[in-house]
Amino acid sequence: LSAIVWAFAKAGSRHPVLFQAVARHLEAKGATLGDKQSVSMIAWGFAKLHECHPVAFEQLAESALRLVDGFEGQHVPNILWAYARLGLANEQLFKVLLQ
């Protein structure tokens, strides 16, 4: 799922129906994402294409908080940039990521 989101965003190819379907999936199961790369890539991909889905991002934040100890490289900047670009905030996530 994250690779699809990343690929569309990297290509600059907007597909609102696809992103709406991914957002619905994230709203239902986003808090259970199992790896840090997926969280980072999905957040970046949505933001790159200006796909703002606040409920989906709440669930991404839950996964990020659970996985934060394993974050490396671009994970933190990608997530923070995505939230900023979309005008979203999650105070708990920001506090943890900025420590």
Side-chain angles (χ1 to χ4, degrees), residues 7-21:
F8 272 83
K10 184 71 173 168
S13 181
R14 295 204 52 147
H15 197 299
V17 174
L18 171 67
F19 277 79
Q20 182 63 42

Side-chain angles (χ1 to χ4, degrees), residues 35-41 43-44 47 57 63-65 67-85 90 92-99:
D35 72 277
K36 58 195 181 255
Q37 187 69 15
S38 292
V39 173
S40 177
M41 287 171 59
W44 180 86
F57 268 72
S63 279
L65 286 166
L67 299 167
V68 71
D69 288 337
F71 281 3
E72 51 195 44
Q74 286 297 114
H75 296 139
V76 171
N78 283 351
I79 292 168
L80 291 173
W81 175 82
Y83 274 83
R85 180 157 175 129
N90 184 301
Q92 182 182 9
L93 177 62
F94 294 173
K95 281 182 182 178
V96 170
L97 292 180
L98 294 172
Q99 288 182 356

Side-chain angles (χ1 to χ4, degrees), residues 26 30-31 33 39 42-43 55-65 83:
L26 293 172
L33 287 174
V39 173
I42 289 170
V55 176
F57 268 72
E58 287 175 22
Q59 297 305 307
L60 281 177
E62 292 298 318
S63 279
L65 286 166
Y83 274 83

